[in-house]
Structure formats: structure tokens, C-alpha cells
Amino acid sequence: MSTGDHGTTVSVDLHVHTEASYDCHTSVEAVLDRAAAAGLDAIAITDHDSVASLARAFEIAHEYGVHVVPGIEVSTADGHLLALGIDQLLSPGRPLAETTREVHDRGGLVVVPHPFQKFRHGASRRAIRAADVDAIEVYNAHTLTGFRNGQARRYARRNELPGTGGSDAHKASLVGRASTTVSLPKGDDLTTEGILDAIRAGRTVANGTRTSAKQYVKKYAMNARVKTASFL
């Protein structure tokens, strides 16, 4: 956290998974320990269609000096969606626009992760336009090249949408590989609502480094094993 004449900047990884996700085996403790070591002020825990890790995260976050933003990575009919500020389950499989409306009704914020990447369940341009989303993930660390992130960044800029960054970490070592610098008004405490308000206002800078080719391949090899096992 850095405080200056114009306010406070905090570093937040807005896309982190724990063992509550079907494709992750990392404990909440390991995630928070790594977040603290990486110098993050906050993380958003966004497990796949699950909020099972949030209670534990809220309970122990103060021990690590890291604020936890509740969230879910929801599997919609049109692709994945990060519902931030939400700590109760949302039904999967519905249209992106319908899910977005429910998130907004609950006071949450919608970020489209890894957009346009069909094989990663990224939403299409048509679905995003129809959904009235709040922000676009313009830096996702799980990518082999910078092409897709650049594509997302250009889309966000053209449509005047805030850009965010997230590691999409499924291993503790990758937490913080990408993050969002969020600018809070001077004197404001670090809260979930403050972070969400800053994102809505576009006071964000996405940054990070891509995972290595080895890490990328291992992640999707594991996903393939999990999906294969589910059909057996």
C-alpha cells in the first residue's frame, strides 16, 4: 500500500483459485502466505462456481495482512464471469447477461476474465456487449503470448471499460504473477467496497508477467486429467 498526496494505491490480484475449485489443490493458507510474500494488499478468491473457501479466508486473512475480496468465477452459458463482492453461490449455466444482472442486484461487480478465448471459456464480444459488464480482465497471467491480453486491452479501451489484471493462479507460487493497482481516495480504508468502487470508476492499472510455457502446459494437462476422470 502506498499513500501520496492524491490518495492511496493498493495492489490486488483479482483472480485467484483455491482447493474449492475443481482444478486446484491449493489451500487458503498457502494462497494467503504467498500473497503476503508477493507484497499484495488484497486478493479476490474466485473459485469455480464455489464459495467454500471464503469463510476460512475471512477468518485468517488478518494473520497475513492481506484483505480478501469475496468472489466467484461463474460458469455462464456464454463463458466465464468473475463476480466480485459476492459471497453466495450463483446458479451456473445461465446467459452472461442474466448472471450479470443478478450480480449487480446483489451489489457486486462483473469482470470478464480471459475474454474471446473459447477454449478457456472466454465470453465473446456479442455476449459481453449484451451483458453490460463493469470491467475486462486485460492481463491474465496464464497465457503463452501477449496476443490475447493485447486483444482484451484494445477491446476495453475502445469500449471505455476499466481494465484489470489477475494471476488466475491455481498454484500458490503463481499468486501475484499478475495484479491490479487500484487507486483509493485519500484517507479511505482498504475495504472490498472501496476496491469495487475504484474499479467501477476506472482507477485501475493492470500489470504482471506471463507464466512460463512449462507452467502453462502443466495447468492444462491437469485440467484435461480432471475432465477425463469426470467421465469415468
Side-chain angles (χ1 to χ4, degrees):
M1 183 182 298
S2 175
T3 302
D5 292 339
H6 301 290
T8 300
T9 58
V10 294
S11 181
V12 189
D13 187 340
L14 288 170
H15 191 169
V16 176
H17 294 273
T18 75
E19 59 195 350
S21 288
Y22 74 90
D23 56 354
C24 181
H25 304 291
T26 305
S27 69
V28 171
E29 289 83 356
V31 163
L32 288 170
D33 185 63
R34 175 56 192 165
L40 294 170
D41 299 297
I43 59 170
I45 292 182
T46 54
D47 285 311
H48 292 292
D49 301 311
S50 175
V51 294
S53 285
L54 290 179
R56 179 60 175 163
F58 293 148
E59 178 185 2
I60 65 174
H62 69 279
E63 299 175 15
Y64 299 86
V66 176
H67 180 80
V68 172
V69 174
I72 313 170
E73 185 165 6
V74 186
S75 302
T76 81
D78 303 304
H80 287 180
L81 170 159
L82 297 182
L84 302 182
I86 300 297
D87 59 6
Q88 295 180 335
L89 285 176
L90 295 159
S91 298
R94 297 178 298 162
L96 185 68
E98 181 180 331
T99 308
T100 295
R101 285 194 294 272
E102 183 174 356
V103 174
H104 288 161
D105 288 345
R106 294 191 190 186
L109 179 143
V110 171
V111 178
V112 179
H114 40 73
F116 322 133
Q117 300 182 51
K118 187 174 181 180
F119 83 101
R120 296 184 65 190
H121 309 287
S124 68
R125 288 172 173 79
R126 179 179 297 178
I128 293 170
R129 282 196 299 271
D132 192 25
V133 303
D134 300 298
I136 301 293
E137 184 181 72
V138 301
Y139 201 108
N140 181 291
H142 264 294
T143 182
L144 281 174
T145 72
F147 175 76
R148 289 299 191 182
N149 286 333
Q151 192 177 40
R153 192 181 298 275
R154 289 189 294 273
Y155 179 87
R157 187 182 302 118
R158 284 197 302 269
N159 291 276
E160 299 182 331
L161 287 167
T164 68
S167 66
D168 199 358
H170 288 68
K171 292 178 60 178
S173 60
L174 300 181
V175 173
R177 181 63 67 95
S179 61
T180 308
T181 301
V182 177
S183 298
L184 306 176
K186 189 174 182 179
D188 278 16
D189 293 330
L190 177 57
T191 65
T192 291
E193 194 54 45
I195 291 171
L196 299 189
D197 283 346
I199 296 171
R200 291 184 184 103
R203 299 195 301 270
T204 62
V205 177
N207 46 71
T209 56
R210 299 192 300 272
T211 54
S212 68
K214 181 179 180 181
Q215 290 165 333
Y216 183 90
V217 170
K218 286 178 65 176
K219 163 68 169 56
Y220 288 100
M222 183 180 72
N223 282 5
R225 288 196 299 271
V226 171
K227 290 178 181 178
T228 299
S230 69
F231 290 107
L232 298 179

